[in-house]
Amino acid sequence: MKKNLLLVWIVAACQLTVSQAQSTLNYPGRYMGREEVKLFTAPNGAVADVGFAKILQLIYPQPTIEKTAEGIWVIGGYSIANFVVIETDEGLIVIDTGDSEEEGKKIREVIRENISKKPIIAAIYTHSHYCLGTGALVDDPKTAIIIGHKKLNETVQTALNAGGAIAAIPELGPVLSARKAIQFNNFLPDTGEDGLLGGRIRDKKNAYLPANKVVENEEIVKIGGMDFQFFTEYKSDDYNLTIWLPKQKVVINNFYWPGIPNLYSIRGASYRDPTEWRDGLQVMRDLKPEKMVNTHARTVSGAKEVFEAISHYMDMVTLVYDQSLRGVLHGLGPDELRYFVYLPKHLADFPNNAQAYGEVPWFTPAAFYHQMGWFDRDVSTLQKLPPVEEAQRTVALMGGRKKVLQAAKTSFGKRELAWAAQLGNYLFTIDPKDAETRKLLADVYRTMGQSSLSMIGRTFFLSEARALEGKEQLPRVVPPKPENIAGKPTFFVDMFRVRIDPRKSENTEKMLVFNFSNGTTAGLHVRKGIAEFVPNPASHYRPADITAIVEVNTWAELYLNSTTVEEASKSGGVKMTKGSVEDLKAVIDLFDKFDPVKNYTIPITDSDF
């Protein structure tokens, strides 16, 4: 009897705990007509939440050259990231070099005209995102000291192969590149209500110089007669170097941003561990700097001001992460976690904790998925209906298309934007070419974008709205450049394997060997539904059925489907050494073909989607 009473008490206590947890959910009032949203119009005509005007105080919105300390300058407003210039007796050291050769050239001119004509003898990379202008910046690329994290060269090369997006799974780089293009304003105009706010990153020629001096954690390196100490142990959104100048008491970093840390990026990224971000901030705090120079935010000056800035920022990271875990312990799933975390006023009001880049409801599910995976303990989702059928059945239950569309319009009129978007999306899922639905969703998403607290949210919402209106085409993938494929043909043989169609290939077993014109060799063993990458065909257990000598540029064209096997054979780009052209074509046809005409997330209204 006592055991039964104890069991009843435990069940009741657990139910009470979950009920209390759910009752404290922070309702998404901004997107459901329950909060006043104030807008402003930027000088370029862009309409956005008034909070964006305050964010301009946290960055360098206009080209700026700021002398931070004796011999140390910050160049802001010329790029999406800041540059730091340090003058030594022997020459100049530049920290971060931009995202293209063009930016490297521009910053070199700025330095020459405004800071010093001394030679630029070294470059230091805080992380892999802004290191592509170096060759155009330093005086002598052959002798310049290039300092980076031990993982930097590998990270940059993977990103370049993927088209510019860092991918933990290289095969998915083209998808991440497409989403990165949306995030960084590539589908928004320069002016007008949809005008961009923030920087635009485009794929341009790079002048990357690999790091030739890899530093260890706490290592001190003398450059130009000056001591630099490097901290490498913790990550933010990437493998970082935090740079400490002990004599000047200046710390240079990529942990402190103009807005709450982007603990999850909606463009897609591998898990960003908040405890590492927190600990990276703590390293800086404990150095007791008098100046904090940042990759994106304005410099913070004064020992007291730096301490308070780091403490508030670090505590926000800690709170979001720990409260996410608390919610999981209460039994909440990822969707419920979105609105569980309460932000204390002193942290929410701290300017650099503004949800200006990403928003807290996007961050909290990441911890759940990282540990728990996709299953939220709701067994009804174990055998969930496909999205189209779910939408069809839901719309039918609601009374059909007309009623759902009217309900969505009514919700939109009440500024119940999140609900209007969900209703409209049921109809769009059923028929993505429905003109009335597309117009409704475009209006809803534009309003959500203008109401968004964050730059990323605004960009995604507005880009989607413009695509629905036929003003833009958002790519599903951004394929690698032909020169990248030709430069590493065997790497892209490996990437090619995931495009095999198991329905077409389940009765086929063939071993292909590609002997490339640059002297490298790789194989694909097509084996009844899968394609095994074979880096060393000579040692593989199955001998080649089909072999060909392939020009690397022709391989790039085949990979991108800008030529056919027959055309490549006629031009001499493919020369068969075993098997026939028809044999090779039969196997290549088992793989998905990249079709630029259908490479969009939202079909244009007159397409055959």
Side-chain angles (χ1 to χ4, degrees), residues 206-479:
N206 79 77
Y208 174 63
L209 295 181
N212 55 32
K213 168 61 179 172
V214 170
V215 290
E216 299 296 330
N217 190 47
E218 300 189 14
E219 182 176 352
I220 298 174
V221 179
K222 193 176 289 290
I223 313 171
M226 182 183 292
D227 284 340
F228 292 73
Q229 186 172 23
F230 299 96
F231 295 87
T232 67
E233 192 171 353
Y234 301 114
K235 291 173 63 177
S236 59
D237 58 331
D238 191 21
Y239 297 100
N240 282 332
L241 286 189
T242 295
I243 304 156
W244 172 236
L245 306 178
K247 182 179 178 181
Q248 296 83 357
K249 294 190 179 301
V250 173
V251 68
I252 304 165
N253 77 99
N254 182 48
F255 284 101
Y256 186 83
W257 291 9
I260 186 172
N262 209 23
L263 299 176
Y264 165 74
S265 173
I266 63 171
R267 74 172 183 262
S270 55
Y271 180 66
R272 296 175 175 180
D273 188 341
T275 64
E276 288 209 35
W277 209 309
R278 174 202 66 199
D279 293 347
L281 289 161
Q282 183 175 320
V283 166
M284 294 197 298
R285 182 197 67 184
D286 294 347
L287 289 170
K288 299 180 180 178
E290 295 179 1
K291 302 266 188 182
M292 179 169 64
V293 178
N294 312 293
T295 305
H296 295 287
R298 283 182 180 271
T299 296
V300 182
S301 297
K304 179 176 179 292
E305 289 79 5
V306 172
F307 177 83
E308 289 181 351
I310 295 176
S311 296
H312 279 81
Y313 205 67
M314 190 171 77
D315 288 352
M316 179 63 101
V317 175
T318 300
L319 181 111
V320 171
Y321 180 64
D322 288 355
Q323 290 303 304
S324 298
L325 302 188
R326 174 173 169 251
V328 177
L329 290 172
H330 278 311
L332 303 184
D335 290 335
E336 295 163 312
L337 281 174
R338 287 175 177 271
Y339 303 106
F340 175 71
V341 176
Y342 169 75
L343 304 179
K345 190 173 188 303
H346 75 286
L347 290 181
D349 288 349
F350 178 65
N352 284 71
N353 281 341
Q355 298 178 64
Y357 193 45
E359 299 183 33
V360 171
W362 307 344
F363 305 154
T364 49
F368 182 98
Y369 287 123
H370 180 63
Q371 175 57 58
M372 311 298 290
W374 66 266
F375 181 49
D376 63 358
R377 189 56 183 82
D378 177 358
V379 295
S380 73
T381 65
L382 289 176
Q383 299 297 338
K384 198 171 182 179
L385 291 175
V388 173
E389 184 175 349
E390 180 185 348
Q392 289 170 335
R393 288 176 176 272
T394 301
V395 168
L397 278 175
M398 291 179 174
R401 174 189 175 277
K402 288 185 179 179
K403 286 191 175 182
V404 174
L405 184 62
Q406 184 55 53
K409 289 179 178 179
T410 300
S411 293
F412 179 45
K414 297 177 181 178
R415 287 191 65 88
E416 295 174 351
L417 305 175
W419 182 233
Q422 188 169 332
L423 290 174
N425 196 55
Y426 285 135
L427 300 177
F428 181 79
T429 299
I430 295 170
D431 182 5
K433 294 167 65 176
D434 183 328
E436 203 170 359
T437 296
R438 288 169 69 111
K439 183 182 185 312
L440 169 70
L441 282 177
D443 292 342
V444 171
Y445 291 154
R446 178 166 285 108
T447 306
M448 294 182 84
Q450 293 174 351
S451 305
S452 179
L453 291 168
S454 68
M455 188 175 298
I456 300 177
R458 179 181 184 273
T459 304
F460 268 88
F461 278 127
L462 294 184
S463 298
E464 199 83 356
R466 293 175 64 81
L468 285 164
E469 293 168 337
K471 296 174 181 175
E472 301 286 347
Q473 289 189 37
L474 307 183
R476 293 182 185 277
V477 300
V478 174

Side-chain angles (χ1 to χ4, degrees), residues 100-110 133 136-137:
S100 67
E101 180 183 63
E102 179 182 308
E103 281 199 354
K105 289 179 180 178
K106 177 62 179 175
I107 296 306
R108 180 179 172 87
E109 292 173 5
V110 171
L137 187 61

